[in-house]
Amino acid sequence: MTERDSLIVVSGGMDSVTLLYDRKDSIALGVSFDYGSNHNAKEIPLAEMHCRRLGIPHITISLDFMHRYFKSSLLEGAEAIPEGHYEDENMKSTVVPFRNGIMLAIAAGMAESRGLTKVLIANHGGDHAIYPDCRPGFVSAMDAATQAGTYVGVRVVAPYTNITKTDIALRGKALGIDYAETWSCYKGGDRHCGRCGTCVERREALAGAGIEDTTQYDQ
């Protein structure tokens, strides 16, 4: 029987939900962070639902200071979110400075407090161009820091770092995940906008994996 030695940072998006099911037998706790983004209210209930379905305890932690003190279009309202592909220069405005570093630091402390030795995070290759705290060098540095800074030697485990979102969708397809039960859109409206970088990437990944896209888009 697989030991439940891991904590997962789970947002409720495609990537982290896939990792949740991918590693479900080793996960002891799911943690979501509410940092005041436009889409947290859409994502987090889905993260909680999937954890509950798998019998995995789930906690949501408020990081409201990020909304108050950090600058990012993700924190400024739906109208501030740029539209287009992630490769476009304007998508850099969606960076929340050092978001993953803050989340991983908290998650590592929570893991050690519970005798867990791994923190799972679902960053992927498509994030590298825009988000510095999703890149391989960052993951390696955080892994070294959490090992050095905890008695139990907590590891940061990011198995999707060098694969694409389409690869993740293919993994989810094999696991039988219904991606209609995930949220991507950064605008956080009643339905996916279909135009922001995350919506464009979602559409491309589902199409690339041969998955019928049942997401409700505004257009």
Side-chain angles (χ1 to χ4, degrees):
M1 185 174 178
T2 304
E3 181 185 2
R4 291 189 179 269
D5 59 358
S6 303
L7 176 157
I8 185 171
V9 177
V10 56
S11 68
M14 285 180 62
D15 311 322
S16 64
V17 167
T18 304
L19 185 57
L20 178 72
Y21 281 86
D22 207 355
R23 300 292 182 96
K24 61 182 173 57
D25 293 334
S26 69
I27 296 171
L29 180 66
V31 178
S32 300
F33 293 97
D34 186 349
Y35 53 94
S37 76
N38 302 313
H39 61 301
N40 278 161
K42 291 289 188 179
E43 282 189 317
I44 292 174
L46 292 167
E48 184 178 8
M49 180 199 75
H50 286 290
C51 286
R52 185 170 60 248
R53 182 179 291 169
L54 294 172
I56 296 170
H58 176 270
I59 294 171
T60 298
I61 296 175
S62 174
L63 300 177
D64 64 323
F65 68 90
M66 295 174 74
H67 184 265
R68 286 184 283 136
Y69 301 124
F70 288 23
K71 182 168 179 57
S72 167
S73 61
L74 254 62
L75 309 175
E76 296 173 4
E79 66 282 353
I81 301 296
E83 297 178 356
H85 200 278
Y86 261 138
E87 294 174 357
D88 295 344
E89 181 68 20
N90 66 352
M91 289 306 294
K92 287 184 178 178
S93 77
T94 65
V95 172
V96 179
F98 209 61
R99 174 182 55 182
N100 283 348
I102 293 165
M103 293 178 181
L104 288 171
I106 294 169
M110 292 182 68
E112 180 163 43
S113 296
R114 289 162 172 75
L116 305 175
T117 57
K118 296 184 181 71
V119 171
L120 305 177
I121 187 169
N123 58 294
H124 64 84
D127 295 330
H128 297 176
I130 302 297
Y131 302 109
D133 58 357
C134 290
R135 296 170 185 163
F138 168 80
V139 172
S140 296
M142 283 300 294
D143 179 42
T146 57
Q147 285 184 77
T150 57
Y151 278 115
V152 297
V154 173
R155 299 295 306 268
V156 173
V157 180
Y160 299 160
T161 299
N162 293 309
I163 66 173
T164 68
K165 198 178 190 80
T166 297
D167 294 327
I168 293 171
L170 285 166
R171 180 62 184 153
K173 183 179 181 180
L175 292 166
I177 295 172
D178 180 2
Y179 283 121
E181 299 180 327
T182 63
W183 186 268
S184 297
C185 183
Y186 274 169
K187 295 196 177 189
D190 291 334
R191 308 199 312 175
H192 285 71
C193 75
R195 302 180 304 277
C196 69
T198 47
C199 281
V200 172
E201 188 184 43
R202 178 187 181 94
R203 281 176 149 161
E204 290 177 349
L206 292 172
I211 298 171
E212 181 184 0
D213 190 352
T214 58
T215 307
Q216 291 189 331
Y217 296 102
D218 281 340
Q219 64 178 35

